[in-house]
Amino acid sequence: MQVNVMDQGPSQEAEPHLAPLGLSPAQERIYLTLLASGGEHTERLADILDVPAQAAAGDLSNLAALGLVARQDTAGGGRYTAVAPDVAVAAAVMQRQLALLKVQSRIDTLMQTYRSRVAGAGPPAQLLSSPEEIRECFVHLQRTARQEVLSFTRLPFALALDRNDTELEMLERGVGYRAVYERAVLAQPGAREQLRGYLNAGEQARAATILPSKFVIADRHLAMIAVRSDQQEMACGCLLIRTTGIVDALTALFEHVWDRSVPLQLHDEAGPENDALTTVGGGDLELLALMLAGLPDKALASQLGLSVRTVHRRIRRLMSLTGSTTRMQLGWYAARTGLL
């Protein structure tokens, strides 16, 4: 009994299902037609699908290379049959996965080429004056990083403190972030809640009373530094620096300040105060970190959602617990014992 492949073959308008394997619509039609018919010669297949014989022969060769069809003889242009889907499709998927893995293994090499191009794409230093340029460059600089982004953060901001979605994205990709925040930043309304999101995502942060400048460094090869510190965001200018020597100097400055800054840890409250004064809770550590960063008591109370009186009471409690008679001694104790 002869099989009517015209009736059993796939519709030309059918939605392709094998395209993710790299098959064109024509190649998928050929495979499905052979699957339904059991096998055809090249010329007969071309007639069935109404395509040139040369095009059908080329598609059959590609399908054979993927392991989806097998050639049975060489007479009359060759007869092809479809390989069983459970074998053929699984093998094609594996080939596709191996090809993607090879591409993925070259990402680092491709990134080196990209970085070289970026580093040499412009002058050693480029002035950015408009807020749009600064925002675009800030995002671009972070996206070039593969290992770590370093930053000094002080007012004013080119981007709002709670709007750096790029950092959260890069942290999720495994890029490290280390940031030193100036005391004035921590005193901003809502700064505690905004910074908590970055810290919870993996950022390492420290606090300093005053920072000498504001900059961002990506992988120690590209830097962006503020050249003015006016109180209006629109007045801020930035330099995009590609010169290795300058970037190295900024990196050394960052490490110097980082080593001398106070670790910033924003903890959730573990519960009510311990009247026995036997432990230092998460809220105490947060208070201590902000205090050592130089925030005055009023700002401490505002950031922690406490009254100034409660702040005083908690500081006295910490001094009593650590045997300190002054706040300076309390800070020395925290540094010596690794409390923070």
Side-chain angles (χ1 to χ4, degrees), residues 263-276:
L264 184 58
Q265 302 176 359
L266 301 182
H267 299 272
D268 292 322
E269 289 285 356
E273 275 191 349
N274 188 341
D275 294 333

Side-chain angles (χ1 to χ4, degrees), residues 154 182-183 208-212 257 293:
R154 58 181 295 186
E182 193 173 76
R183 178 179 64 184
T209 303
I210 297 177
L211 290 175
V257 175

Side-chain angles (χ1 to χ4, degrees), residues 168-238:
L168 299 178
E169 175 188 336
M170 300 306 289
L171 282 167
E172 188 174 355
R173 294 183 184 180
V175 176
Y177 272 71
R178 285 193 289 154
V180 181
Y181 293 90
E182 193 173 76
R183 178 179 64 184
V185 174
L186 302 178
Q188 291 293 298
R192 178 172 176 249
E193 289 71 22
Q194 294 163 359
L195 291 175
R196 187 184 300 278
Y198 297 136
L199 297 178
N200 289 340
E203 177 187 290
Q204 298 180 58
R206 296 191 176 185
T209 303
I210 297 177
L211 290 175
S213 60
K214 178 171 65 173
F215 58 70
V216 184
I217 303 172
D219 284 349
R220 305 177 183 236
H221 81 282
L222 194 64
M224 178 180 173
I225 183 171
V227 293
R228 293 195 298 272
S229 297
D230 300 334
Q231 294 304 309
Q232 298 297 323
E233 179 182 330
M234 295 296 293
C236 286
C238 289

Side-chain angles (χ1 to χ4, degrees), residues 18 24 58 61 64 70 111 151 190 235 263 267:
L18 302 179
S24 67
S61 296
M111 280 302 301
S151 65
H267 299 272

Side-chain angles (χ1 to χ4, degrees), residues 114-128 140 221-222 240-244:
Y114 173 75
R115 289 172 183 166
S116 299
R117 195 267 302 169
V118 170
Q126 179 182 353
L127 179 63
L128 309 170
H140 171 74
H221 81 282
L222 194 64
L240 177 62
I241 300 174
R242 302 181 178 90
T243 303
T244 302

